[in-house]
Amino acid sequence: MANEKQQVFQAIGQANMKLLKKTSFTTIDFPHVKYLPVDIDTSPLDNSKSNKEGVSWTYKRFAGYHPIFSYIGTEGYMLDCELRPGSQSCQKGTPKFLERTIKQAKQLAGSASLLFRLDGGNDSKDTLEELSESGHFFLVKRNLRKELPEYWLSVAQAEGTVVRNDEKMTVYTGIHTGKYPAQDDSLSKLEIVFQVTEQRIARDGTSLLFPEISVETWWTNLYEEPETIIQLYHDHGTSEQFH
């Protein structure tokens, strides 16, 4: 039975690749390079009140599945997908799925440079190792874990560029260079792009007694300016509509 299931999946994958090879993908174009984006993400599917195999409690607080998808091109053509139990974490099994996706995407890239984009749920040593060794460009949202906002504010003030400064807030962007993922020196050093916001007036107009510090950081091997890299990640959010 397992062998028959594998044969079915293989046939579907081959048929999908045959269709994709006939497709023209829209790239993200810069004067010096064309990026073909590959967006990878999970999305819980609600199957409440059902007794289907694999249905279990998801992080969205309903019973269902938690599949993973990969999309290629700015249009979001589905490159691959994998059904998963609802309780499975987004990172479990992702390095293997990513390895398969990279092989498929290479067949479709043509003259464009592949750009793999993943969110913070996939900020792990295994994922970053797979991406680094692939030789392709990537952009992964970092999980700050126990890193203090005050630490990143000091980094931003020392190394960043002020891109906004008014009575409401100060926004810094920049690149924190040469850092080991998971502080593991067996991995390649990567760049960390950051955006740090020091908010002095709340959205409702209330002046804050102490500034509120918000931090976003990303692992990447891109050569673009920080503001461009941040925008490239924000475009990754479009993939949620593809689900």
Side-chain angles (χ1 to χ4, degrees):
M1 182 66 179
N3 187 48
E4 292 176 356
K5 183 187 293 186
Q6 188 61 37
Q7 289 176 352
V8 171
F9 289 157
Q10 186 176 1
I12 292 172
Q14 290 172 347
N16 190 49
M17 285 298 296
K18 189 175 181 179
L19 287 170
L20 290 173
K21 286 179 179 179
K22 298 178 181 179
T23 304
S24 296
F25 305 106
T26 301
T27 55
I28 302 170
D29 297 348
F30 292 93
H32 58 289
V33 66
K34 292 183 178 181
Y35 294 115
L36 180 60
V38 179
D39 292 291
I40 300 173
D41 200 2
T42 61
S43 181
L45 301 180
D46 192 345
N47 279 260
S48 300
K49 300 180 181 179
S50 73
N51 296 311
K52 297 177 183 178
E53 181 183 358
V55 167
S56 50
W57 197 247
T58 70
Y59 75 90
K60 288 287 190 179
R61 299 183 179 277
F62 56 68
Y65 294 108
H66 192 192
I68 188 169
F69 305 92
S70 61
Y71 305 99
I72 190 166
T74 58
E75 301 89 350
Y77 291 99
M78 185 179 289
L79 182 59
D80 202 353
C81 61
E82 182 179 279
L83 187 62
R84 296 174 167 185
S87 58
Q88 183 168 324
S89 71
C90 64
Q91 177 58 21
K92 184 179 179 181
T94 293
K96 186 175 180 180
F97 180 83
L98 178 58
E99 180 183 3
R100 190 169 74 227
T101 292
I102 290 172
K103 290 179 180 178
Q104 293 169 327
K106 284 172 65 176
Q107 300 178 52
L108 303 170
S111 61
S113 297
L114 289 170
L115 170 58
F116 294 89
R117 300 185 291 197
L118 299 91
D119 67 20
N122 298 121
D123 174 14
S124 77
K125 173 183 173 180
D126 293 341
T127 298
L128 292 167
E129 188 173 26
E130 184 71 41
L131 289 167
S132 297
E133 293 178 354
S134 75
H136 300 292
F137 292 108
F138 59 86
L139 185 52
V140 179
K141 183 74 176 289
R142 293 181 72 250
N143 186 332
L144 293 174
R145 296 184 172 91
K146 296 181 180 180
E147 296 173 0
L148 296 175
E150 291 78 10
Y151 164 76
W152 278 105
L153 179 59
S154 67
V155 170
Q157 291 171 337
E159 304 175 12
T161 299
V162 176
V163 295
R164 175 177 174 178
N165 188 27
D166 53 37
E167 62 177 7
K168 292 184 178 180
M169 68 181 70
T170 302
V171 181
Y172 305 85
T173 63
I175 300 177
H176 200 38
T177 61
K179 299 301 175 183
Y180 292 112
Q183 298 182 342
D184 186 342
D185 60 10
S186 68
L187 300 177
S188 300
K189 287 183 178 181
L190 295 175
E191 312 295 338
I192 300 176
V193 171
F194 60 80
Q195 178 171 288
V196 179
T197 302
E198 191 177 20
Q199 187 103 19
R200 290 179 286 275
I201 298 179
R203 294 182 182 276
D204 62 2
T206 304
S207 295
L208 300 173
L209 183 59
F210 299 102
E212 184 177 286
I213 304 168
S214 57
V215 180
E216 290 187 284
T217 62
W218 298 266
W219 295 112
T220 192
N221 61 349
L222 288 165
Y223 301 114
E224 312 298 336
E225 293 296 320
E227 293 82 2
T228 301
I229 292 172
I230 293 167
Q231 185 55 55
L232 283 170
Y233 183 79
H234 288 167
D235 289 342
H236 169 68
T238 305
S239 66
E240 295 184 4
Q241 301 174 36
F242 302 153
H243 300 329

